[in-house]
Amino acid sequence: MMGSSLLLAQFLCLLFFLSHSEPAHSSSNFSSPVKLCPGDQSLALLQFKNSFSIMSPSPFRFSCYPPKRVLWKEGTDCCSWDGVTCNMKTGHVIGLDLGCSMLHGTLHSNSTLFSLHHLQKLDLSGNDFNRSVISSSFGQFLHLTHLNLNSSNFAGQVPPEISHLSRLVSLGLSSNSGELMLEPISFNKLAQNLTQLRKLYLGGVNMSLVAPSSLMNLSSSLSYLQLWRCGLKGDLPDNLFRRSNLQWLDLWSNEGLTGSFPQYNLSNALSLLDLSNTRISIHLEPDSISLLKSVEVMYLDGCNFVGSNLGLLGNLTQLIKLGLADNQLGGQIPFSLGKLKQLEYLDLGYNCFTGSIPDVFANQTQLLYYLTLSYNNFSGKISDGFFNLTQLTILYLSNNLLIGSIPSQISRLSGLNYLDLSHNLLNGTIPSSLFSMPSLRALFLHNNQLYGQISPFLCNSLQYIDFSHNRLYGQIPPSAFKLEHLIALMLSSNDKLTGNISSVICELKFLEILDLSNNGFSGFIPQCVGNFSDGLSVLHLGANNLHGNIPSIYSEGSDLRYLNFNGNKLKGVIPPSIINCVNLEFLDLGNNMIDDTFPSFLETLPKLEVVVLRSNKLHGSLKGPTVKESFSKLQIFDLSNNSLSGPLPTEYFNNFKAMMSVDQDMDYMRAKNSSTSYVYSVTLAWKGLEIKFSKIQIALTTLDLSCNKFTGKIPESLGKLKSLIQLNLSHNSFIGYIQPSLGNLTNLESLDLSSNLLAGRIPPQLVDLTFLEVLNLSYNQLEGPIPQGKQFHTFENGSYEGNLGLCGFPLQVKCNKGEGQQPPPSNFEKEDSMFEEGFGWKAVAMGYGCGFVFGVSIGYVVFRARKPAWFVKMVADRNAKRLRRKNAPRNGGRRH
């Protein structure tokens, strides 16, 4: 009996072994590196990957960093390749993840990718497909559930065939080239057919023709909806906020989107809500707040708040991130925000909060890492409560009214990366402890009243230093030139910083911005500054006591865009190697002792917008252009106070294309390539005053050739430069008539032709210059009646003195009857010169003669923050100027 039992047991064991060993073998066969992946699919994958180049990894080119490296070896099982997923039963490729793989090139509609018909998940995000059109062939992937084409540089129309992917659960088309468009028909098909869709990412896709009401047609299962900067316009249905499954709603920066945030029946599933920069009305009520208990991230920057009680937000104790910037919120910060124990991010910048900064964040010592209170009206000293926020990595307190010294305890924030205390009223010395903070990357202390010497830098982490516009003195510590990661060093306008500029500065290989202007630096400019850093875009050493020659070597491929050596004692010639700076936009070598002819080689620089060579020893004549479209982008051209001679070449002015069209751009000239913003500045003779433009509006155009020895007639082609605001040809030896074509310069605010040899009558066409505020025709040989009407009623005797043959108002000399003959007609008289809008500054004074400064010399002026009111009236606010002119009698001027 026992023998038979033992035999039965052995038999059963054998059966068990056999039953389990056969499937394992089969599984082994399926996982075989030879048989599992079908050869046609392996080949298709290789051909697809090889159709693109692999770009060098760069945090600036790719949206994800560091990127992945895709290493596929031919002849091996493709199911073992990076990013490839196969069905273990059939071997078909069902998943392909090439996100952030540095692929570059065009994705064609006949790509072998589209032969992988079994794909269920496809991720091509974070690559560069070179503005490829999204192929209609994507509609062939009928098994696809996940499609991610975010941040891949696609363009053109989103094909309607995407709506064929009825199994899609997640679709990502965000952050592409900015030229990706989704038409209403395609969107409606997408909404109708993709009934299983739960996540839809369309950020940055142009949907300006899609009606916001059609969003309600999207799948009821939708939980994530990302529609930032889509150009949506019109009323947003408030029922969108009531969708029971909606967890993530991002509508940021749809500035034409209107509607109201509902006060009841809100979805209690919402965890992220971003309505920033829309026109959706926000009215916080206890009922609506009570339904937002799941919200962890809430961005309401730049919204339309209507009488809301911000204190109610203190009840959202689950909040992790809260943005309320740019809402004109006033009063004091509600203490109830201190109840937000989970808060990590808080932005209250660009509001109107007042009083001392309260210690409402003391409880967030373990979590709060980002705090912005900039651009408010906070006053008093920096609170000690900040130093308990030990997790802070970013602290912005700029543009307030903070006083007192910078507390040395700030060094307790050992994890701080960015500290911005600029544009306050802080005084005292800069605590040396700031220079030993191990994680600090950016330190912005500019525009305060700080004094003392700069302490040695004891840590090597700093990348951005801006101590401009303070009262610092002494030398730059040598340790500053050992900050090997330094990108920007800005120490301008401290007045008492002295010493030589060491050539050791050329060891800062990553430097992009160097601004040491308006100080007391002396000695020679190191010859290496022209070629020590390929990334250097701003070099401003103006208004110092530097002497010697201008550095003569500028390397090919230089990215230099702003070069300013104005106001030193530099001699010699302008180095021709400047032509290697092919991206140069701004060149100011004025107020030196340069002894040279006009550097005609500058005409080869295609991006040049500003050339200032005033007050040097330039001589010789201006030759005609030798390069097609030379100086075509020039907007400011100042050669005044030199010894240039001969006639003006008409051909130059025919090339000044940027001066021929009125630019309404209200922005400022700035370095666009650098990793930090740098706004260009320039000093000009402006309507008789020496004016420092701390910011140069893009629309500012001026031509100043005064105080030279130019001869001949005023070129008629000057009448083409219709965007000119100031034209100064005074103190030369021009002869002939005043060109009637100057009447076409309808944007002109200042015209100075004084101290020449001009004869004949004043053209009546000048009466049409309805923006003209300063006119100086004195000391010529003009005769006949002074034109009457419009702006000419505002000019006084000084505009015409020294012209014995002139008569009529405002002079005491009466005209004889019959005096009405006009100068010969101009070819420009019939040109249409009327514009819908112009701009200008309030008249300041009429100062005559080159180099003469009437009144005071205006120093550094910041246009946006705490600007003196009288200066605003003179220079800054063109919009206000337009309003003033609109309400004032225009005598037939332009409509607004």
Side-chain angles (χ1 to χ4, degrees):
M1 185 71 179
M2 287 186 61
S4 60
S5 297
L6 180 61
L7 185 62
L8 179 62
Q10 290 175 341
F11 179 74
L12 292 174
C13 287
L14 179 61
L15 287 176
F16 182 82
F17 174 78
L18 290 174
S19 66
H20 285 76
S21 63
E22 184 63 29
H25 180 72
S26 175
S27 175
S28 175
N29 285 339
F30 274 115
S31 62
S32 166
V34 178
K35 298 180 180 179
L36 184 57
C37 179
D40 60 332
Q41 296 183 29
S42 177
L43 181 61
L45 286 169
L46 283 172
Q47 290 178 342
F48 171 67
K49 176 178 175 290
N50 292 336
S51 66
F52 301 100
S53 59
I54 304 299
M55 302 298 293
S56 300
S58 166
F60 305 107
R61 187 176 186 88
F62 294 95
S63 59
C64 40
Y65 189 84
K68 296 183 297 190
R69 288 191 176 275
V70 181
L71 301 175
W72 293 351
K73 186 176 181 181
E74 189 174 0
T76 61
D77 176 18
C78 77
C79 296
S80 66
W81 292 351
D82 294 333
V84 178
T85 303
C86 295
N87 184 308
M88 296 304 293
K89 292 183 178 180
T90 64
H92 292 311
V93 176
I94 59 173
L96 181 59
D97 182 359
L98 293 179
C100 205
S101 297
M102 299 181 291
L103 302 180
H104 174 71
T106 301
L107 179 55
H108 297 286
S109 58
N110 62 350
S111 170
T112 56
L113 170 71
F114 300 115
S115 66
L116 302 173
H117 299 296
H118 301 279
L119 276 178
Q120 297 175 18
K121 294 184 178 181
L122 176 60
D123 186 348
L124 299 178
S125 64
N127 291 291
D128 183 358
F129 292 115
N130 198 29
R131 285 181 162 76
S132 299
V133 174
I134 297 178
S135 171
S136 60
S137 298
F138 277 99
Q140 301 173 13
F141 293 129
L142 299 181
H143 301 285
L144 212 59
T145 60
H146 293 76
L147 176 60
N148 188 352
L149 303 181
N150 293 330
S151 305
S152 295
N153 200 11
F154 283 107
Q157 299 280 356
V158 176
E161 287 79 5
I162 291 291
S163 64
H164 297 172
L165 308 178
S166 59
R167 297 185 181 183
L168 269 187
V169 173
S170 177
L171 173 62
L173 301 176
S174 288
S175 303
N176 274 284
S177 64
E179 299 173 10
L180 195 60
M181 300 177 64
L182 183 56
E183 296 285 349
I185 294 177
S186 298
F187 178 81
N188 291 334
K189 286 184 177 180
L190 183 152
Q192 180 181 353
N193 295 337
L194 305 188
T195 57
Q196 300 181 42
L197 200 62
R198 291 200 293 270
K199 296 183 179 181
L200 180 59
Y201 303 99
L202 298 177
V205 178
N206 185 345
M207 297 173 57
S208 57
L209 300 179
V210 175
S213 58
S214 61
L215 298 177
M216 295 303 298
N217 298 328
L218 289 167
S219 166
S220 59
S221 303
L222 199 67
S223 57
Y224 283 69
L225 181 57
Q226 184 194 75
L227 297 172
W228 52 261
R229 199 177 285 174
C230 289
L232 293 171
K233 293 175 286 189
D235 229 20
L236 182 73
D238 57 5
N239 281 336
L240 187 66
F241 298 99
R242 298 188 172 108
R243 284 182 162 239
S244 59
N245 293 312
L246 195 61
Q247 300 173 28
W248 186 298
L249 181 59
D250 185 352
L251 300 175
W252 167 69
S253 202
N254 287 284
E255 297 177 357
L257 196 60
T258 57
S260 299
F261 185 68
Q263 300 177 29
Y264 57 90
N265 292 341
L266 286 166
S267 169
N268 56 14
L270 273 175
S271 63
L272 180 143
L273 178 64
D274 191 346
L275 305 180
S276 299
N277 299 110
T278 66
R279 291 165 54 197
I280 297 173
S281 298
I282 309 291
H283 188 89
L284 298 180
E285 291 289 345
D287 290 344
S288 59
I289 290 295
S290 65
L291 294 171
L292 296 174
K293 293 296 186 182
S294 298
V295 174
E296 296 179 346
V297 178
M298 181 184 285
Y299 296 121
L300 303 178
D301 306 311
C303 282
N304 182 18
F305 271 88
V306 181
S308 294
N309 181 0
L310 291 184
L312 293 173
L313 295 175
N315 296 324
L316 302 180
T317 54
Q318 75 288 346
L319 271 180
I320 295 174
K321 295 184 178 181
L322 177 60
L324 297 172
D326 196 17
N327 280 305
Q328 298 184 349
L329 301 173
Q332 293 192 327
I333 297 175
F335 276 91
S336 61
L337 295 187
K339 296 191 298 183
L340 304 179
K341 303 289 195 298
Q342 306 300 315
L343 204 61
E344 299 177 5
Y345 172 106
L346 179 62
D347 187 351
L348 299 178
Y350 291 89
N351 280 295
C352 304
F353 291 114
T354 58
S356 300
I357 300 175
D359 291 332
V360 300
F361 313 112
N363 294 328
Q364 279 79 23
T365 55
Q366 299 303 314
L367 298 175
L368 195 65
Y369 72 88
Y370 182 106
L371 178 59
T372 299
L373 303 177
S374 295
Y375 290 91
N376 279 284
N377 294 312
F378 290 117
S379 56
K381 296 184 177 182
I382 297 175
S383 170
D384 291 341
F386 285 117
F387 312 131
N388 295 323
L389 305 176
T390 55
Q391 297 302 309
L392 272 182
T393 58
I394 296 174
L395 177 59
Y396 293 150
L397 302 178
S398 69
N399 294 83
N400 281 289
L401 302 170
L402 300 176
I403 61 173
S405 59
I406 301 173
S408 59
Q409 303 98 299
I410 203 165
S411 62
R412 287 163 53 184
L413 306 177
S414 58
L416 206 59
N417 294 152
Y418 295 88
L419 176 62
D420 190 350
L421 303 178
S422 65
H423 292 280
N424 279 289
L425 303 173
L426 299 172
N427 54 31
T429 60
I430 303 174
S432 59
S433 57
L434 274 179
F435 302 107
S436 58
M437 298 180 68
S439 301
L440 198 60
R441 295 172 55 192
L443 182 56
F444 300 119
L445 304 178
H446 51 284
N447 292 86
N448 278 289
Q449 299 171 12
L450 302 170
Y451 56 82
Q453 298 191 38
I454 301 174
S455 299
F457 295 89
L458 302 180
C459 283
N460 196 30
S461 59
L462 276 169
Q463 297 177 329
Y464 304 93
I465 298 172
D466 192 348
F467 296 167
S468 302
H469 297 273
N470 280 290
R471 293 182 289 158
L472 302 174
Y473 58 82
Q475 299 187 8
I476 302 174
S479 55
F481 306 129
K482 297 179 181 179
L483 299 172
E484 57 187 23
H485 304 293
L486 197 62
I487 294 174
L489 178 60
M490 293 174 278
L491 302 175
S492 66
S493 302
N494 276 288
D495 295 329
K496 295 182 180 179
L497 286 177
T498 57
N500 295 337
I501 299 174
S502 171
S503 60
V504 182
I505 201 169
C506 297
E507 296 179 9
L508 301 175
K509 300 301 181 183
F510 297 101
L511 201 65
E512 296 177 6
I513 297 175
L514 177 62
D515 187 348
L516 306 179
S517 62
N518 290 277
N519 281 294
F521 293 110
S522 56
F524 298 98
I525 300 176
Q527 287 294 307
C528 59
V529 298
N531 63 348
F532 74 94
S533 169
D534 290 339
L536 189 69
S537 61
V538 173
L539 179 58
H540 191 355
L541 303 179
N544 280 289
N545 295 313
L546 301 169
H547 57 269
N549 293 330
I550 298 171
S552 59
I553 301 175
Y554 297 87
S555 58
E556 291 187 22
S558 168
D559 203 28
L560 198 62
R561 293 166 187 258
Y562 180 95
L563 178 60
N564 192 336
F565 292 155
N566 187 303
N568 284 287
K569 301 174 183 177
L570 302 176
K571 299 181 179 180
V573 300
I574 300 171
S577 64
I578 284 181
I579 63 173
N580 290 329
C581 306
V582 293
N583 292 311
L584 196 65
E585 298 170 340
F586 183 107
L587 176 65
D588 188 349
L589 304 177
N591 294 289
N592 280 288
M593 295 183 283
I594 298 169
D595 191 350
D596 198 359
T597 57
F598 176 73
S600 56
F601 51 79
L602 294 179
E603 68 182 2
T604 63
L605 297 175
K607 299 182 180 181
L608 208 54
E609 298 175 7
V610 177
V611 173
V612 178
L613 302 175
R614 64 195 303 256
S615 300
N616 278 289
K617 298 179 180 180
L618 299 182
H619 52 84
S621 61
L622 298 182
K623 309 297 183 184
T626 59
V627 177
K628 186 179 180 181
E629 296 188 354
S630 59
F631 297 125
S632 63
K633 293 192 174 182
L634 206 59
Q635 293 178 234
I636 296 176
F637 194 37
D638 187 350
L639 302 181
S640 62
N641 287 281
N642 282 287
S643 297
L644 296 167
S645 57
L648 295 180
T650 298
E651 296 83 359
Y652 261 150
F653 305 120
N654 286 330
N655 286 337
F656 287 6
K657 303 299 183 185
M659 292 188 185
M660 294 182 183
S661 59
V662 178
D663 195 332
Q664 303 295 340
D665 196 335
M666 301 292 288
D667 200 2
Y668 300 99
M669 294 183 187
R670 66 182 74 230
K672 301 178 181 66
N673 69 314
S674 59
S675 54
T676 187
S677 176
Y678 184 91
V679 179
Y680 297 166
S681 62
V682 69
T683 298
L684 297 172
W686 190 258
K687 302 180 184 178
L689 291 175
E690 191 92 356
I691 298 292
K692 168 70 182 259
F693 289 89
S694 299
K695 299 180 180 182
I696 311 171
Q697 283 186 318
I698 289 174
L700 178 63
T701 52
T702 178
L703 177 62
D704 191 344
L705 305 179
S706 62
C707 297
N708 279 285
K709 300 176 181 179
F710 290 119
T711 57
K713 296 182 178 181
I714 295 175
E716 192 175 43
S717 56
L718 283 177
K720 296 180 179 180
L721 309 183
K722 297 182 180 182
S723 70
L724 272 182
I725 299 172
Q726 174 171 272
L727 175 62
N728 192 345
L729 303 179
S730 67
H731 291 80
N732 282 286
S733 298
F734 290 116
I735 61 173
Y737 292 111
I738 297 175
Q739 290 290 353
S741 65
L742 297 184
N744 293 328
L745 306 182
T746 51
N747 228 40
L748 205 63
E749 298 179 16
S750 178
L751 175 63
D752 192 345
L753 304 178
S754 64
S755 298
N756 280 288
L757 302 173
L758 298 171
R761 301 191 175 189
I762 301 174
Q765 289 86 347
L766 299 188
V767 175
D768 293 328
L769 303 181
T770 54
F771 280 174
L772 197 62
E773 298 168 348
V774 175
L775 176 67
N776 191 352
L777 304 178
S778 63
Y779 298 102
N780 279 287
Q781 300 171 13
L782 301 173
E783 59 186 12
I786 296 172
Q788 302 298 311
K790 298 181 182 178
Q791 297 299 97
F792 271 71
H793 281 312
T794 67
F795 303 133
E796 300 181 354
N797 291 15
S799 295
Y800 311 106
E801 65 181 341
N803 293 281
L804 300 180
L806 286 177
C807 61
F809 181 84
L811 302 179
Q812 298 297 319
V813 180
K814 304 296 182 183
C815 296
N816 297 325
K817 290 184 178 181
E819 286 190 292
Q821 185 178 355
Q822 299 300 327
S826 161
N827 294 331
F828 285 77
E829 284 188 43
K830 296 182 180 180
E831 289 192 13
D832 178 17
S833 61
M834 301 301 287
F835 291 86
E836 287 299 318
E837 287 191 273
F839 68 93
W841 283 264
K842 195 77 174 173
V844 181
M846 292 188 294
Y848 307 119
C850 293
F852 176 71
V853 179
F854 180 78
V856 297
S857 179
I858 311 298
Y860 295 90
V861 177
V862 178
F863 283 64
R864 288 179 175 169
R866 289 181 288 283
K867 46 202 171 191
W870 66 271
F871 191 81
V872 175
K873 292 180 181 178
M874 180 177 71
V875 180
D877 196 339
R878 291 189 295 168
N879 282 333
K881 172 68 177 293
R882 285 175 174 151
L883 290 174
R884 287 196 298 272
R885 287 192 172 275
K886 180 178 179 181
N887 296 325
R890 290 300 306 274
N891 297 316
R894 287 167 287 183
R895 292 176 56 199
H896 291 268

